[in-house]
Every structure is written in structure tokens, then in C-alpha cells.
Amino acid sequence: MDAFQNLAELFRTFPGIGPRQAERFVYHLITSPVELRTRLIETLKKLNEETAQCRSCLRYFPQNHNAELCAICANPNRDASLLLVVARDRDITVIEKSGSYDGYYFVLGGTIPILEKNPDDTVRVPALVKRAQNSPQLKEIIIAMNQTTEGENTTDHLLRTLKGLPAVESGTMHLSTLGRGIASGQEIEYSDGATLRSALKGRAQQ
Ligand SMILES: [Zn+2]
């Protein structure tokens, strides 16, 4: 495969990009001044060097001081009794923007497809269980998945797994899901601040 095809294949792995659009990107790059390609190479290199995975919430974050925790997890003033589980890194950004949550987060890294035989290999369920077990101050785990079939499937699996935790069985830790407000089929990423605020406020204990 030549560099043109290789790059087009890479662009195709981006969300929402089909083969024609991927080729258009490559044509744009090869017909642009060489400075654009050089800048892109340098920027990607820098992005690689400055991106780290947070040891606690597992999201990726920009860092340049070898920090192990992202800004949210490193903030001691947040509410350690709350842990909100989201599917993807970008869900954190919209929830933070809504200004309605001040606890900590955990990023599952995706959702569980229907009929998936090994859900714990698909997303970070074992890491979530570990996080819950090693957080003595934790009182509530809020599961915030998209209101899609796959999101609901993921919520069901998480509830089943987490209900087995001794702290949940003894009632010292609660599980909840986002309340009404987020419509069926709606994704957290595209929800507005008011919707998220009311969904968090009206969360339902499971
Ligand atoms: Zn973090």
C-alpha cells in the first residue's frame, strides 16, 4: 500500500469519515503547501508526547509535567463520595460544562454491544470494580450511559456486576442511573446543560 492509500485508510478510522471523504483529506494534504504537512507532523508528534492516560479515571489528557492524574482527579476539593461512570472521554467534557456535578469520574472506554459474550473484555469493567473497591469514601456510583440500546445494555451489565460488591450489598454504597430528561435514543455528548442538570438531579437509585 502506498502512502496515499495508507493515509486514506487512517482517515477512514476516524468517526463519521467514509472512503470518499478520507480521500478528499489526502488530496487536500498533497495539494497544499508543504508547510501544512510539516505542521501536521509536528503537531501530531507533540500530541503524542503530551498525552497521558489518567491513572484514576482512565481518560486521556494533555500533560507536560509527567502528571499521573488529570486535573479533575488531582483536585482534592471534589466530592469523593460520588463516582460517575461514562462511556467515553468526551462525555466528561459535556458534563463538566453543564456545571451540575462535582464528584469524580470513571471512563469505561466504550459500550457493550448486545449479545457480547465477553463484556468485561470489551470495556473496563474489572478496572471499575477495582476503583469502587479501593475508594473508602465512595457512597454512590452514578451510571451515565447514552439512552441507546447499547447504552442500556451496558447499564444492565454494570448494575448486575456492581450489585455483587460487598459495599453495595450492605447498603453503604448505592448505585444510580441518570433520571428522566435524557430522551430515548439520546446521547450524552449531544445533550445540553439543562438536560444533563435535570437528569443528574433526578437520578434514580437502582
Ligand atoms: Zn482523571
Side-chain angles (χ1 to χ4, degrees):
M1 209 185 284
D2 59 26
F4 185 104
Q5 284 176 310
N6 244 329
L7 191 55
E9 285 291 313
L10 280 173
F11 282 134
R12 276 196 67 179
T13 65
F14 286 26
I17 302 298
R20 283 169 66 111
Q21 208 166 1
E23 282 189 7
R24 276 174 58 200
F25 286 171
V26 185
Y27 277 119
H28 175 69
L29 280 171
I30 58 176
T31 54
S32 295
V34 67
E35 287 79 19
L36 177 71
R37 294 191 292 277
T38 310
R39 254 178 67 202
L40 193 65
I41 292 166
E42 282 164 4
T43 311
L44 282 174
K45 215 173 141 232
K46 216 159 170 257
L47 190 73
N48 220 4
E49 290 162 1
E50 292 179 1
T51 302
Q53 189 175 22
C54 176
R55 191 165 50 83
S56 182
C57 70
L58 303 182
R59 73 164 163 156
Y60 292 90
F61 69 105
Q63 62 110 347
N64 41 27
H65 304 293
N66 291 322
E68 289 192 324
L69 295 175
C70 73
I72 295 171
C73 294
N75 180 354
N77 297 323
R78 295 189 72 113
D79 186 348
S81 72
L82 298 174
L83 184 70
L84 194 137
V85 185
V86 293
R88 305 210 176 268
D89 291 22
R90 54 186 186 268
D91 294 335
I92 294 183
T93 315
V94 286
I95 294 171
E96 282 297 289
K97 266 194 200 147
S98 78
S100 49
Y101 179 73
D102 71 342
Y104 293 100
Y105 293 93
F106 183 87
V107 181
L108 212 51
T111 45
I112 304 167
I114 306 289
L115 303 177
E116 170 61 49
K117 292 229 166 53
N118 303 305
D120 291 357
D121 299 338
T122 320
V123 292
R124 301 164 183 150
V125 181
L128 172 62
V129 170
K130 218 164 150 190
R131 170 78 164 82
Q133 284 170 331
N134 295 328
S135 311
Q137 289 168 281
L138 187 58
K139 295 266 179 290
E140 182 181 355
I141 300 176
I142 308 162
I143 301 169
M145 296 294 126
N146 293 334
Q147 292 296 307
T148 56
T149 320
E150 222 173 279
E152 280 164 13
N153 186 46
T154 309
T155 301
D156 289 346
H157 180 73
L158 291 181
L159 287 174
R160 268 199 306 273
T161 306
L162 297 170
K163 274 179 181 168
L165 288 175
V168 176
E169 282 184 336
S170 70
T172 52
M173 194 189 287
H174 299 289
L175 307 174
S176 61
T177 52
L178 288 188
R180 278 177 300 161
I182 301 199
S184 179
Q186 195 172 349
E187 297 188 17
I188 289 173
E189 190 185 354
Y190 303 110
S191 303
D192 58 47
T195 304
L196 287 171
R197 270 192 294 280
S198 93
L200 267 161
K201 219 175 150 198
R203 63 187 185 266
Q205 194 172 313
Q206 299 294 320

